[in-house]
Amino acid sequence: MPDSQPQPPYSSSPSGPADRGALLLSGARLTDGRTVDVRLCAGRIEAVGTAGSLTAGRAPGSGTRLDLTGYLLLPAPVEPHAHGDTALSADIGGPVSYEPRDVQRRATEAALLQLGHGATEQRAHVRVGDVQGLGALTAVLRARRSLRGLAEVTTVAVPRVLTGAAGADGLAVLRDALKMGADVVGGCPDLDPDPAGYVEAVLEVASEHGCPVDLHTDAADPARLARLAAMAGGLRPGVAVGPCAGLGRLPAEVASRAADQLAAAGVTVVCLPQGGCGSVDRRGTAPVRLLRAAGVRVTAGSGALRDVSNPVGRGDPLEAAYLLSSRHGLRPEDAYEAVSATARAALGLPEVRVEAGFPAELLAVRGERLAGALSLAYSRIVVHRGRVVARTSAVREYGDSTTAADLGLPRQARGDTP
């Protein structure tokens, strides 16, 4: 595997030099096989034309040109399920520190790693209450503010217990978390003594604040999942559950019935093909094809990023898409859509296409076809709000040989990287 290291973004300010003029992405290949120029301006795609037909700006010398010859240009992926408070803690000797400064540092580094993979929009689950109180959430919110303009991070407040005598404190903390700036109501009903009561409490708080809901559940109990679907049906702006690996361990007819119920309720399933997270059983993955066949909106997240739940977690949306294709049999196009267009819809984000008028949230990956890009997605250029915010360059070199030249095989050299 090539040596691959993310390089620092070009500017930590949302109003970097690229914002003052247009950015021309020249010679990029699209998934339909066309080679095009794409001009970005004011955070949106201003124009798409045949290769060589566009200039960087309306006036000569205005704007910047970036040569994307040899790159496939895609709508940027989204990270719908990360854990900012525990990320990058696997190698810490002893208990994980929840000191706000430590959490902020880990959350910031994790978000930048995921940005380097291409995720310009990220949803981070953060535990509230218990030992952490609101300190971890405070730290992740600080990280979010420091990253604005590079990556957009939304936060999910995840309380532990919401029912019984201890539930009153959990509910108070959850409401405080939303007042502080948490965007989504989360939680783990499987860990509460009364899972149905937990879901009811979460939905009530979400309804009060007009927030989305994003719950952790293994979904191994079909009756419990049916109750969740019945309660969640019709709630706006939407309900997501994941990773739902337990569905894959149920008899096929039982799992199919549960999938129908989730589809009827409009509940999104966020599976974690790269590995689970600490609050749910890690065995297996949700039955992606069964859920999709039932009409359930299925997206894929990263889950743990190098914490004790998955010490080798990469936090890479393209790896999630690769696993959806290689392990679950999805076409590469459908697998990538699950981590891009479908993930954006699940998070309530505007649609992105490589067409004029759409947001300039883009990922350029070295390669000619999507299948190859998912297989060997080493070199990447990430565009957020119309400017380049991250670049990862990988170089593969071989010993001198005339064989490759004789056969006309492509060879990447240092001079090829834009």
Side-chain angles (χ1 to χ4, degrees):
M1 176 177 172
D3 180 29
S4 175
Q5 292 294 330
Q7 299 176 3
Y10 295 101
S11 169
S12 60
S13 167
S15 56
D19 289 321
R20 300 193 190 111
L23 172 63
L24 178 67
L25 308 177
S26 66
R29 190 178 184 92
L30 302 184
T31 54
D32 61 11
R34 290 180 295 151
T35 301
V36 298
D37 290 349
V38 179
R39 187 168 60 227
L40 315 177
C41 190
R44 305 191 79 80
I45 298 173
E46 185 178 70
V48 178
T50 57
S53 66
L54 300 181
T55 61
R58 294 184 179 87
S62 65
T64 305
R65 178 180 177 273
L66 180 62
D67 185 2
L68 290 184
T69 302
Y71 278 76
L72 187 68
L73 188 62
L74 304 164
V78 170
E79 174 50 70
H81 189 120
H83 285 267
D85 53 348
T86 59
L88 306 175
S89 61
D91 295 332
I92 297 174
V96 176
S97 169
Y98 284 97
E99 288 294 323
R101 183 176 181 82
D102 293 334
V103 174
Q104 182 178 352
R105 177 184 54 78
R106 294 197 307 263
T108 302
E109 183 180 356
L112 288 173
L113 283 171
Q114 292 176 302
L115 174 65
H117 292 317
T120 60
E121 302 274 355
Q122 305 169 20
R123 177 178 279 189
H125 292 252
V126 184
R127 286 179 285 186
V128 298
D130 295 334
V131 176
Q132 295 88 353
L134 291 170
L137 177 63
T138 300
V140 176
L141 289 173
R142 288 174 181 164
R144 175 174 75 176
R145 287 192 292 271
S146 71
L147 292 163
R148 190 162 290 140
L150 294 177
E152 309 309 314
V153 179
T154 58
T155 54
V156 184
V158 182
R160 183 174 178 82
V161 177
L162 294 180
T163 67
D169 289 340
L171 283 168
V173 169
L174 178 57
R175 289 188 168 95
D176 286 343
L178 294 171
K179 291 175 184 176
M180 283 177 56
D183 308 281
V184 183
V185 182
C188 310
D190 297 359
L191 303 181
D192 193 280
D194 179 5
Y198 188 105
V199 173
E200 186 175 355
V202 162
L203 295 176
E204 181 179 343
V205 172
S207 181
E208 290 173 5
H209 292 264
C211 295
V213 171
D214 197 333
L215 296 173
H216 289 70
T217 180
D218 191 46
D221 184 332
R224 186 184 298 173
L225 191 63
R227 287 195 295 272
L228 187 155
M231 288 188 284
L235 182 73
R236 295 291 180 268
V239 177
V241 296
C244 297
L247 270 177
R249 301 191 294 272
L250 295 174
E253 65 276 10
V254 177
S256 293
R257 188 160 53 249
D260 290 340
Q261 292 164 339
L262 291 172
V267 174
T268 297
V269 170
V270 184
C271 66
L272 302 178
Q274 298 174 83
C277 50
S279 56
V280 292
D281 196 322
R282 287 188 59 204
R283 291 178 295 153
T285 309
V288 173
R289 296 180 71 178
L290 180 148
L291 289 164
R292 285 168 53 90
V296 178
R297 182 165 59 187
V298 179
T299 183
S302 298
L305 198 170
R306 285 168 32 204
D307 66 18
V308 293
S309 300
N310 186 1
V312 295
R314 294 181 181 176
D316 185 353
L318 268 65
E319 184 183 42
Y322 157 79
L323 290 169
L324 289 178
S325 184
S326 65
R327 184 178 296 172
H328 296 277
L330 271 62
R331 297 186 311 123
E333 294 77 11
D334 293 335
Y336 189 75
E337 185 176 283
V339 300
S340 54
T342 304
R344 293 188 69 86
L347 270 59
L349 299 170
E351 182 182 10
V352 173
R353 299 182 194 169
V354 188
E355 298 176 14
F358 284 88
E361 303 291 322
L362 303 168
L363 171 64
V365 185
R366 183 176 286 281
E368 294 185 354
R369 297 285 187 274
L370 186 56
L374 295 185
S375 175
L376 297 169
Y378 299 132
S379 295
R380 309 183 192 186
I381 298 172
V382 185
V383 174
H384 175 46
R385 294 185 179 178
R387 70 188 187 105
V388 175
V389 292
R391 179 185 294 186
T392 301
S393 299
V395 176
R396 174 181 282 132
E397 295 179 330
Y398 301 99
D400 290 336
S401 171
T402 60
T403 303
D406 291 344
L407 295 176
L409 299 177
R411 181 173 178 183
Q412 182 177 339
R414 295 186 184 279
D416 292 340
T417 305

